[in-house]
Amino acid sequence: MATSSGVATWVKVCDAGELVVGIGVSALVRGKQVALFKTGERELHAVGNRDPYSGTQTMARGLVVQRDGQTLLAAPTGRELFDFETGQCVDDPMTKIATYPVRVVNGFVEVCIIVRG
């Protein structure tokens, strides 16, 4: 699939059985640091691993939390909350983290990354 900024490529990252609900893991996917989270038995999310407030690659160490019925990611340093779907910071609409499409194919987690050509 081509986009105006490159080609969308699905990259196999890990065995889906290795992910644990509520625990993030980091992965280097085609040069991008990505944080993977399993938030339910069939719910996966992939976001950028860079904490926009501290500048560190630590979002995989964040906490999965519930707020008003929504599953969110609390940053590990300042505990700012981010929406897994949009990457939007709940309390600071000017701040976002990257989000990536994620899927499971034949038991393996795949993340979609835009590769610039």
Side-chain angles (χ1 to χ4, degrees):
M1 166 176 43
T3 69
S4 59
S5 57
V7 176
T9 304
W10 287 96
V11 180
K12 187 185 300 186
V13 178
C14 67
D15 185 313
E18 294 176 356
L19 298 179
V20 177
V21 173
I23 307 289
V25 297
S26 60
L28 187 60
V29 183
R30 297 278 173 105
K32 297 183 185 291
Q33 288 205 27
V34 174
L36 294 172
F37 289 89
K38 184 176 184 179
T39 58
E41 279 309 310
R42 298 190 188 283
E43 295 177 46
L44 292 175
H45 301 280
V47 299
N49 199 33
R50 184 180 175 280
D51 181 332
Y53 292 99
S54 70
T56 58
Q57 299 286 345
T58 56
M59 291 303 281
R61 296 184 190 159
L63 299 173
V64 176
V65 299
Q66 295 288 321
R67 179 172 166 188
D68 299 328
Q70 188 176 15
T71 304
L72 303 168
L73 172 59
T77 53
R79 299 291 184 228
E80 294 84 8
L81 298 175
F82 293 89
D83 183 308
F84 275 113
E85 299 299 321
T86 66
Q88 190 76 43
C89 180
V90 173
D91 298 317
D92 179 5
M94 299 301 290
T95 303
K96 288 180 81 172
I97 57 175
T99 60
Y100 301 97
V102 62
R103 68 185 184 188
V104 176
V105 175
N106 296 325
F108 289 94
V109 176
E110 294 182 348
V111 175
C112 187
I113 298 291
I114 303 298
V115 178
R116 306 211 188 296

